[in-house]
Each structure stands twice: as C-alpha cells, then as structure tokens.
Amino acid sequence: MRGVKILSTGMCVPKYKLTNEKISTFIDTSDEWIVQRTGIRERRIVTDETTVSLATNAAKEAIKDIDPLEIDLIIVGTVSPDQMMPSTACSVQAEIGATNAIAFDISAACSGFIYASKIAIEAINCGSAKKALVIGAEIFSKVVDWNDRGTCILFGDGSGAVLYGETDENKILAFDVGSDGNLGQTLVLENQPINNLFVKNEYSPSFIKMDGRAVYRFAVNVVPKSITKALEKAQVNIDEIKLFVLHQANERIISSVAKNLGVDINLFFKNLDKYGNTSGASVPIALHEAKGKLKNGDKIVLAGFGGGLTWGSMVAQW
Ligand code: COA
C-alpha cells in the first residue's frame, strides 16, 4: 500500500461579512441569542462569488507549488453546486488547467470533505492516483430560508481545499466513517420534484429544513464514538493528539464532544465565530486556518457530521 500525506491547503470565503446585528434587523433574533446558543458572531455570504469561483480560489492556493498537470484526481464535496452538470469538480478542473485529472462531486453534506478525503486517499493508497485535490465548497446562503430564524443564522458560504500526495512514510493513520439514512429527515434540502409524462408536481424552490434538537443530539452522540473508533484503528492514544479540527456547526457541540472525550477544549480549533457553519467547506477551512499551530509530525483529528445523516473522522500526522 502506498503512503499518503497532506501536501498543502487553501481556502476562500466571500468578501461580505453578515453580522448577527445585521440579521437582527430583518428577523426576530439577537446577537446575544445567536452567540449564546451557537458561538457564531458573523458569517460570509456571496455577492458576486459562485460555488465554482470559491472552490477554484481555494484550489489555486492549495496547488500553488505544483504543476496542475500533476493532479490525477479532483473531488468536490458539495450540496450547493452552481449547477448539477457539469460538476463543480469538472468546472474547477477547467479553471486550474488540471487536464490530466478525473473530476467529480460527492454529496455527503457537512461530512463531504471527510468522505471525499477517504476516496482520494484510498485512490492514492492503491496506486490509481499520485496527487489528489479534495475541495469542500458551499453556498448555503441560497438554500436557507431567510425568514426562518432557526436555520438562517447558522450557515455561511466558503470553500477549503487540501492537496494529498503519495509519500514513502504514510501520514494518514485511520478513518472511521458512517451513514444513517433512517435519520435523514432531520436535515433536508429537497431537489426539484419529478415532472414528466406521468407525474406532475408543483415546483417552488425549497429551503433547508432541520430538526435542530435531533441534529444536535445526533452530533454529540456520534462524533465522540467515531473519533474514538478512528483513534483505535490508528493505534493512537487520545493524549497524543495535538489538535482536533471538527466541523464548525456549533460551539456547544464542540464543547460537548471535548467533554465526552475528556480532552481540554483548548485543543479544539474553532473559527465558527467568523464563518458560521459552511457545511462541507468547514473542515478544510478550519484546517487551513489551524495549520499555523501545527509542527511536522503532530498528530491531528479531523471530524465532520451532518446531512444524510453522515459522519466521519480521520487521524493524520502533519
Ligand atoms: N433567535 C431567537 N430565538 C430563536 C432563534 C433565533 N435565531 N431560533 C429559535 N429561537 C427560539 C425558538 O423559536 C424557540 O422559542 P419558543 O421556546 O418560544 O418556541 C426557542 O428559541 C428554542 O428553540 P429551539 O430550536 O428549541 O432552540 P435550541 O436550544 O435547540 O437551539 C439550535 C437551536 C438550532 C441553535 C440548536 O438546536 C442547534 O444548534 N442544533 C444543531 C443544528 C446544527 O448544527 N445543524 C447543522 C448540522 S451539520
């Protein structure tokens, strides 16, 4: 089996900062409520950016030290693409000139980056790629109902990218991933309904629907178990982990996971105060911003969870 390591990272967020105060001017909420329940203070939302442009800019930063022709595989985790076809990954491929790559999107919501990383790393492990670019890119500002205070305050737009490459000494130590479709209806983003010769449905654009409490319970239950399983597979003791980079959904979820694992909360990276929940983009954005804290050889845990329901944890060495 060929070894894999993280070669580089990149990120891109829209220019416009939407603060809690600004949201409070058009719906019945307050900065105090949002900060207390979620830890979020502001989020970025697009003005002239697109899912492809955010993903392309994050990708360009991650691949700035290599020739794009060296990239064999591009996977984008997104549930908010600009269009279903061509895929976001194919559009990014064209933008960065990675003409030797195969490119496709996957749909695993806020676990999208971890799922895509697993696919990319296994492709390198088995020799079908040497360099793989994994991107999480989302524009949730177009899929939330701006009249629903229970959801619109949570999400933001952005993209993060990680370049993985083949290496002699393997630095990706283990994964634990899972899905539970039975809980799928707790977090839903509908697509266009069927309209064909036989079936007629009314179509009106739909927005994210969420049972916030159920999703919260799911996250605080499944994430510590998943991290523990991944650490067991990696044969790494939790005390050896220098940094935990979790999906940035809610500060209270991160605190609960830290408490459940018996780990100091200061070892959990947080930037959700600035960006909110950027779904599939949140883990690679957080990793990009956290990397200044990491030294060569440091062991880290990345973890995502969300729609599907899906979850995934990865243990790696920087
Ligand atoms: N501002 C002010 N009040 C709000 C509000 C807002 N933005 N959103 C909801 N409320 C109100 C509700 O209307 C409700 O009022 P009521 O008691 O008069 O009916 C009250 O606050 C409690 O609502 P509830 O939904 O039970 O709050 P909560 O404590 O569960 O917090 C979330 C809501 C969304 C912050 C919380 O459930 C959560 O973070 N869940 C996880 C969601 C998530 O991370 N999803 C993405 C996963 S990838």
Side-chain angles (χ1 to χ4, degrees), residues 23 27-30 33-34 37-38 109-111 148-155 187 210-219 247-250 252-253 277 279 305-307:
I23 294 183
I27 51 167
D28 182 14
T29 188
S30 66
W33 194 96
I34 300 172
R37 302 287 176 119
T38 71
C110 307
S111 311
D148 174 11
R149 65 180 182 170
T151 53
C152 75
I153 55 142
L154 298 174
F155 297 98
L187 188 50
M210 181 181 72
D211 178 343
R213 293 209 160 182
V215 174
Y216 188 96
R217 279 196 303 274
F218 152 77
H247 171 45
Q248 304 286 304
N250 183 316
R252 290 190 299 150
I253 293 177
N277 177 346
S279 185
F305 53 90

